[in-house]
Amino acid sequence: MMRLYSGTTCPYSHRCRIVLYEKGMDFDIIDVNLMNRAEDIAVINPYNKVPVLVERDLILYEANIINEYIDERFPHPQLMPPDPVMRARARLFLFRFEQELYSQVDLIERGVVKSADKARGVIRDNLTQLSQILAHQKFLMGDELSMLDVAIAPLLWRLDHYGIQMGKDAAPLMKYAERLFSRQGFIDALTPSERAMRK
């Protein structure tokens, strides 16, 4: 059985939990306190970070790598496009999310006021651009949930928590967010700590 070492408030772990629940698989989630990590995380991941997926003698870390492995191992429902060109485009989007969105989240979480305020603006502007896509389609890659939606859902869930205010031009994005949040896989993947982020 797969075991996912997961931070209860970690947006990267949240992504992996969403994929596992969307796939409807058997797995164990081992909650890791991010403020007081157990030593076994450092043993299985040289970067001492979560998420970490363990299956028999396979150990994977980094959310995108974990999620692609799960998607290939359990292909229904498929979250990465089957077409190589579309799959490459999806990977490029995922890379951009890391560079342009999640790198800013790290700045917000560090709590340095000036850099956190700038980071909020960068995230808001990047998300507003996605609104243009979502004005014309249900999900980021069309009518079906994909790995891009999984990657961005934890950030959208945490907007208030991170103090990011979206403008009126982001209305399609906010409707899209509610579609994601109403999915059973998303609901099941939430930890009590994550539920508390939105009242």
Side-chain angles (χ1 to χ4, degrees):
M1 183 180 287
M2 287 185 172
R3 281 176 292 146
L4 180 71
Y5 291 82
S6 166
T8 55
T9 58
C10 166
Y12 302 98
S13 297
H14 191 179
R15 283 190 213 173
C16 296
R17 283 184 262 118
I18 293 168
V19 169
L20 288 167
Y21 280 106
E22 284 286 341
K23 298 282 185 179
M25 297 165 34
D26 283 335
F27 54 89
D28 281 332
I29 291 180
I30 297 151
D31 290 331
V32 176
N33 180 341
L34 296 176
M35 299 303 145
N36 186 22
R37 289 185 194 129
E39 285 181 22
D40 56 349
I41 295 297
V43 171
I44 58 178
N45 180 352
Y47 300 100
N48 196 23
K49 291 180 176 180
V50 288
V52 179
L53 184 79
V54 178
E55 186 183 29
R56 296 186 196 94
D57 58 351
L58 176 69
I59 298 171
L60 295 175
Y61 39 87
E62 293 302 307
N64 288 335
I65 294 170
I66 291 170
N67 283 347
E68 275 210 53
Y69 170 74
I70 295 167
D71 195 47
E72 288 176 6
R73 182 123 158 56
F74 302 92
H76 302 290
Q78 190 168 26
L79 296 172
M80 285 295 278
D83 172 64
V85 172
M86 292 304 292
R87 196 161 55 245
R89 285 186 178 146
R91 286 184 179 130
L92 199 56
F93 257 106
L94 291 169
F95 176 77
R96 288 183 61 194
F97 289 168
E98 299 304 320
Q99 299 300 308
E100 297 168 18
L101 297 172
Y102 280 95
S103 64
Q104 304 301 316
V105 166
D106 293 339
L107 294 173
I108 294 169
E109 288 185 341
R110 282 190 208 133
V112 179
V113 174
K114 196 171 183 180
S115 57
D117 285 344
K118 185 178 177 189
R120 287 183 186 98
V122 171
I123 291 173
R124 183 190 62 240
D125 294 346
N126 277 291
L127 289 177
T128 300
Q129 288 178 3
L130 291 179
S131 266
Q132 296 166 9
I133 297 169
L134 294 162
H136 306 289
Q137 57 194 48
K138 194 172 174 185
F139 296 107
L140 286 173
M141 294 197 80
D143 290 332
E144 300 294 329
L145 184 81
S146 75
M147 206 64 83
L148 302 189
D149 307 300
V150 168
I152 207 153
L155 176 58
L156 296 175
W157 181 259
R158 289 162 171 75
L159 287 178
D160 290 344
H161 177 72
Y162 292 144
I164 299 166
Q165 303 294 316
M166 300 303 297
K168 288 179 183 169
D169 47 354
L173 177 84
M174 302 319 289
K175 285 181 185 171
Y176 158 78
E178 292 305 322
R179 277 197 298 279
L180 294 178
F181 303 159
S182 67
R183 292 181 69 87
Q184 195 60 49
F186 183 90
I187 293 164
D188 292 343
L190 287 168
T191 64
S193 301
E194 287 165 341
R195 288 178 195 278
M197 290 177 175
R198 287 171 64 98
K199 293 294 183 188

